Amino acid sequence: DVKVTQSSRYLVKRTGEKVFLECVQDMDHENMFWYRQDPGLGLRLIYFSYDVKMKEKGDIPEGYSVSREKKERFSLILESASTNQTSMYLCASSMSRAGTDTQYFGPGTRLTVL
Amino acid sequence: GENVEQHPSTLSVQEGDSAVIKCTYSDSASNYFPWYKQELGKRPQLIIDIRSNVGEKKDQRIAVTLNKTAKHFSLHITETQPEDSAVYFCAALLSGTYKYIFGTGTRLKVLA
């Protein structure tokens, strides 16, 4: 059974703080993704990675960076948190390089920036 | 940019009735279309998917239809039950990429 975990369910940070969101998957998946979920906007892709140390920008990468040093771990970094980054953050992973396999999601991190 | 439009944004049905959610995509070369269900406070989970080489797929009470010419696909839930209440997302895989474009979601309420 695929398991995708995220380091925190709830996080409260102050404007200007550096924030790390961690995601770990235990099924040796090639691809990992970070999404942001906001009411009425659905899921928007921030960054994704298709291999260790490889990353590509999604649709809304501004204000974010990512790190994938190991295959099972994909980190999202907010260099200087701002109030408009208050949101639900979802990590996902999928198996094959073909990209047509199921995405498995983590439980989400609800981030509040004050 | 490429997008996926999803309608309606909210849908209320009586228990036992059918529910239909519709999505339209812009990338004519997209070939994979999953549907996700997200219950309150939980993660999205895949409930059914369809590839571009078929027009319809069924799994018990849920079915998905695909019209490639119209770039349109739909989720059909029959004999709805209260536990079907959730937010449903459609998605399309952009051709030649690993990127999925998601619709904005439909909140389905099944009234007992």
Side-chain angles (χ1 to χ4, degrees), chain B residues 14-30:
Chain B
Q14 291 292 329
E15 184 178 358
D17 286 352
S18 295
V20 180
I21 303 170
K22 300 181 179 182
C23 289
T24 304
Y25 60 97
S26 59
D27 177 13
S28 57
S30 288

Side-chain angles (χ1 to χ4, degrees), chain A residues 9-27:
Chain A
R9 290 301 304 272
Y10 300 94
L11 210 51
V12 180
K13 296 291 181 181
R14 297 210 173 270
T15 302
E17 280 193 80
K18 191 169 185 176
V19 182
F20 293 87
L21 302 182
E22 300 262 302
C23 175
V24 177
Q25 50 92 5
D26 67 355
M27 286 301 289

